[in-house]
Amino acid sequence: DIQMTQSPSSLSASVGDRVTITCRASQDIRNDLGWYQQKPGKAPKRLIYVASNLQSGVPSRFSGSGSGTDFTLTISSLQPEDFATYYCLQDSSYPFTFGGGTKVEVK
Amino acid sequence: EVQLVESGGGLVQPGGSLRLSCAASGFTFSNHYMDWVRQAPGKGLEWVGRTRDKASNYTTQYAASVKGRFTISRDDSKNSLFLQMNSLKTEDTAVYYCARRPVGPPGRYGQFDCWGQGTLVTVSS
């Protein structure tokens, strides 16, 4: 199985900060990676697909980059509604696997 | 409006069975591969399994942790997805989400663009 190592597991940030979350795959997954946001008690919501494509309706302050084994989700200017937990997902091969999550908290 | 609504969760004893349903609306359900993803309380997301569409003979894939105990099926005439869970263990306690894969090559469109609200399954004596 492909292991997805996500870091950091949590971070504290302020509104307006630039935030970067990384995901490392245990083997080459090309660009078969998505990013999801989850708020407490809610279902995950897709932000980015195929590493760098912005989901329709998602603000442009979210961006994704990377290929192969190293990927990044960047929030260019953190907004109050962005405090949440973020997960990466590899869909290069079965079983699909998620990263452990990054909780973005108020500083 | 695209919508997925899960139902069927509840409390079940270890070794018992439960059948979850996911009702789809607002899109052509039969065209989509459909998946189940679960989340144990306070934990991260875990992919459970998938059913493909009729064109792919409704073939399925499962995570090792549920293979042989869980069965995913669908009824395209009723726009419904199912998860039959047998031989349940305490570690199966989780919120179960159904999720849709966009139509088209995954290398272009990725996975899980739409999710249900989830249904809680608690396995406990």
Side-chain angles (χ1 to χ4, degrees):
Chain A
D1 297 1
I2 297 175
Q3 308 303 317
M4 301 301 296
T5 303
Q6 193 171 335
S7 61
S9 57
S10 66
L11 64 90
S12 298
S14 301
V15 172
D17 284 353
R18 182 181 182 88
V19 169
T20 299
I21 299 168
T22 64
C23 239
R24 175 163 288 174
S26 59
Q27 63 190 71
D28 186 347
I29 60 168
R30 302 180 298 271
N31 59 354
D32 296 331
L33 185 111
W35 290 98
Y36 295 80
Q37 176 194 67
Q38 187 179 34
K39 296 181 178 179
K42 300 294 186 182
K45 170 188 171 183
R46 190 169 78 166
L47 302 175
I48 301 288
Y49 61 98
V50 194
S52 60
N53 293 270
L54 190 67
Q55 174 72 25
S56 175
V58 172
S60 59
R61 62 181 179 272
F62 290 94
S63 64
S65 64
S67 67
T69 60
D70 294 309
F71 301 86
T72 299
L73 173 70
T74 300
I75 309 171
S76 60
S77 178
L78 197 67
Q79 298 301 300
E81 59 269 30
D82 301 337
F83 291 98
T85 300
Y86 295 84
Y87 295 93
C88 61
L89 165 72
Q90 73 79 19
D91 62 303
S92 176
S93 65
Y94 295 104
F96 297 158
T97 45
F98 291 88
T102 296
K103 187 173 184 179
V104 178
E105 300 175 299
V106 177
K107 190 171 186 178
Chain B
E1 179 195 4
V2 173
Q3 197 169 15
L4 296 170
V5 178
E6 300 92 340
S7 60
L11 175 64
V12 60
Q13 291 188 338
S17 298
L18 207 58
R19 189 191 196 211
L20 306 184
S21 299
C22 170
S25 59
F27 65 99
T28 305
F29 177 76
S30 60
N31 288 350
H32 291 263
Y33 294 7
M34 295 295 298
D35 293 63
W36 289 95
V37 176
R38 68 184 180 182
Q39 186 169 37
K43 302 298 184 183
L45 299 167
E46 179 187 17
W47 178 77
V48 172
R50 150 170 294 182
T51 176
R52 296 182 179 86
D53 60 4
K54 182 179 181 180
S56 299
N57 295 316
Y58 300 122
T59 52
T60 53
Q61 302 273 164
Y62 297 95
S65 58
V66 306
K67 194 170 185 179
R69 300 187 299 122
F70 290 12
T71 301
I72 297 173
S73 61
R74 62 192 295 165
D75 184 340
D76 289 348
S77 69
K78 296 181 179 178
N79 293 333
S80 294
L81 174 71
F82 305 102
L83 179 64
Q84 176 67 43
M85 303 185 293
N86 298 331
S87 304
L88 282 160
K89 306 174 181 180
T90 55
E91 52 263 41
D92 295 319
T93 294
V95 173
Y96 285 74
Y97 297 100
C98 60
R100 182 185 81 167
R101 195 202 89 168
V103 173
R108 285 191 64 187
Y109 300 104
Q111 311 288 343
F112 310 160
D113 65 335
C114 179
W115 298 63
Q117 86 290 349
T119 188
L120 175 63
V121 172
T122 302
V123 184
S124 174
S125 54

